[in-house]
Amino acid sequence: QYKRIHKKAAIFCIGEGVDVMGEFLSANNFSIMLGERPVKLTIEAVSPKRTLVQTWDSVFRYHLNNWIPLNSTNYQDYKDIEEISERIAFLEKILIGNLLSFAKGVNIEVKEQIQCKLISLREPRIVEIKKIKMMSFDAEFRTNISLPDYVGLGKHVSVGYGTVVKTH
């Protein structure tokens, strides 16, 4: 996943992607042409970290930034819900689906039921991605699955949306 972390470009890798990225970084000199001018790109840091992604008996608290949970199909369903509590329950189900999709994407089998509760949810912002307007949320949530910092959940994670960071 491509990210911007602390206002700098970043690439987030999991599992086999870590080894592949290590080989890529060691095999390239990162010189590019910017117009007519050659530019040498530099790597500031490589920060491998281990995180055990699994369900636990306890819960973890996370901040979710620029989360895009709604697609064209479920957007209208969301808009048709009048009660705030029902909207939150609707978004919690989508977030659980995002967590399951992430686990499946990194070949982790989730055997226990994922618990997930939105603790806070800011008013949505409208963002435009590829000329399509979408709703983006900032949220705090609790879940019984441990996640690595900066993983993306929801739509358009490959371009930096839906970034998760553990809170304390």
Side-chain angles (χ1 to χ4, degrees):
Q1 298 175 353
Y2 303 101
K3 305 271 177 206
R4 184 173 55 209
I5 302 172
H6 306 297
K7 298 184 180 182
K8 295 185 179 180
I11 300 173
F12 181 87
C13 306
I14 296 176
E16 296 170 8
V18 174
D19 294 335
V20 171
M21 185 55 64
E23 291 171 18
F24 173 75
L25 293 174
S26 64
N28 286 287
N29 66 4
F30 303 104
S31 294
I32 63 169
M33 292 298 288
L34 198 56
E36 299 289 321
R37 184 175 53 121
V39 175
K40 182 163 175 63
L41 302 178
T42 59
I43 297 170
E44 183 176 295
V46 176
S47 304
K49 293 183 175 90
R50 287 194 174 276
T51 301
L52 185 58
V53 177
Q54 67 177 45
T55 55
W56 300 80
D57 291 333
S58 58
V59 293
F60 304 91
R61 188 174 175 148
Y62 297 97
H63 177 77
L64 181 54
N65 191 44
N66 282 323
W67 177 45
I68 301 177
L70 303 172
N71 58 29
S72 58
T73 305
N74 59 18
Y75 171 77
Q76 192 57 52
D77 294 339
Y78 176 82
K79 293 300 277 182
D80 290 342
I81 299 170
E82 291 184 21
E83 293 183 22
I84 292 171
S85 60
E86 288 183 26
R87 279 188 173 189
I88 289 172
F90 184 79
L91 291 173
E92 285 173 345
K93 287 180 186 173
I94 291 171
L95 184 52
I96 289 170
N98 293 165
L99 292 165
L100 288 168
S101 292
F102 160 70
K104 183 179 179 183
V106 294
N107 295 320
I108 294 172
E109 184 180 348
V110 178
K111 295 176 183 165
E112 292 80 21
Q113 184 170 350
I114 293 180
Q115 301 165 12
C116 184
K117 288 289 177 190
L118 286 166
I119 300 167
S120 70
L121 187 67
R122 289 208 177 125
E123 284 295 314
R125 293 185 298 283
I126 302 300
V127 295
E128 192 170 317
I129 303 168
K130 298 181 181 177
K131 298 184 181 181
I132 298 172
K133 292 183 179 178
M134 306 182 105
M135 293 174 72
S136 167
F137 296 85
D138 288 344
E140 298 271 340
F141 70 98
R142 283 191 318 252
T143 184
N144 62 334
I145 189 168
S146 51
L147 300 168
D149 280 347
Y150 305 113
V151 70
L153 298 176
K155 313 261 176 276
H156 299 287
V157 297
S158 66
V159 290
Y161 288 90
T163 302
V164 172
V165 176
K166 189 174 184 182
T167 60
H168 302 282

